[in-house]
Amino acid sequence: MNKIIRFIPLVLFIALGVVLYRGLSLNPQELPSALVGKPIPTFSLTQLLKPEVTLTENDLKGDIVLLNVWGTWCVYCKYEHPYLVDIAKSKRVSLYGLNYKDVREDATKWLKDYEDPYVFSIFDPMGKFGIELGVTAAPETFVIDANGIVRMKHVGPIDGKVWQQKFIPMIEKLEQEQGVTP
């Protein structure tokens, strides 16, 4: 019995090593989302540039939509912004913004200074809608199909490589499902 007790720390050490080694192979940008395959949560928030306009989840239906979570305080949002401008100009998808935990005046100035790629931006100053989406930090981007179903969540900035490897295959799949030609 005494010999078995001596091996318990070794067994625990090896088990812990296996668990930690497994964690090294995980990609933090591939966080699972409970929303994938489900409708976008209901919301009622104002439009960033037109505070008198109230938006709901129905405003994100009808096309293949990218909902990009951004903020003026977000360093990576500034990095990905030129790519978003190019995506918007391609007209392949409808690009909407979710201005997350920000100040309206700062966000409005930011869009004027750096070019506004969005059809519109939803203003979420308290982050409540972001929480319902499962947002952990900006930038994050959701792919939403024409019926308002979340099909993909990407954590981190979009650049040319991410666009080609992650987004284009999903968009092509949705276009095929919906009978849309690019």
Side-chain angles (χ1 to χ4, degrees):
M1 179 74 169
N2 198 13
K3 289 182 180 182
I4 294 173
I5 292 175
R6 287 185 199 171
F7 286 106
I8 290 176
L10 178 62
V11 171
L12 291 175
F13 180 75
I14 291 171
L16 179 63
V18 168
V19 169
L20 293 175
Y21 181 75
R22 169 73 176 113
L24 292 174
S25 65
L26 299 177
N27 184 348
Q29 289 188 335
E30 293 180 8
L31 295 173
S33 174
L35 279 182
V36 172
K38 296 180 181 171
I40 190 161
T42 59
F43 68 92
S44 180
L45 292 166
T46 61
Q47 189 172 330
L48 175 66
L49 299 179
K50 296 178 183 174
E52 69 279 3
V53 176
T54 300
L55 303 167
T56 70
E57 67 281 357
N58 292 324
D59 293 301
L60 301 177
K61 293 180 181 177
D63 293 320
I64 298 171
V65 166
L66 295 185
L67 180 61
N68 177 254
V69 181
W70 67 279
T72 59
W73 46 266
C74 167
V75 175
Y76 288 112
C77 295
K78 190 171 182 181
Y79 164 79
E80 80 171 350
H81 195 78
Y83 297 100
L84 296 177
V85 170
D86 289 344
I87 291 166
K89 287 179 181 176
S90 77
K91 305 268 189 221
R92 185 146 189 200
V93 295
S94 297
L95 178 62
Y96 298 89
L98 174 61
N99 182 243
Y100 181 65
K101 294 185 177 180
D102 214 340
V103 176
R104 187 182 300 270
E105 294 76 20
D106 294 346
T108 300
K109 181 180 182 325
W110 200 81
L111 289 178
K112 287 179 183 171
D113 290 348
Y114 297 111
E115 189 172 356
D116 184 355
Y118 306 109
V119 175
F120 58 72
S121 279
I122 302 161
F123 184 56
D124 187 16
M126 303 306 290
K128 290 181 181 178
F129 182 48
I131 289 169
E132 290 182 32
L133 288 170
V135 171
T136 56
E140 290 186 14
T141 305
F142 297 84
V143 178
I144 303 167
D145 70 17
N147 298 314
I149 305 298
V150 177
R151 300 297 292 270
M152 185 179 96
K153 175 184 178 179
H154 173 74
V155 177
I158 296 174
D159 59 19
K161 182 179 178 182
V162 169
W163 178 249
Q164 290 298 322
Q165 291 181 351
K166 261 188 118 172
F167 285 88
I168 291 295
M170 175 56 73
I171 291 166
E172 287 174 347
K173 178 181 176 187
L174 292 175
E175 288 171 341
Q176 189 176 32
E177 288 176 8
Q178 297 173 12
V180 176
T181 54

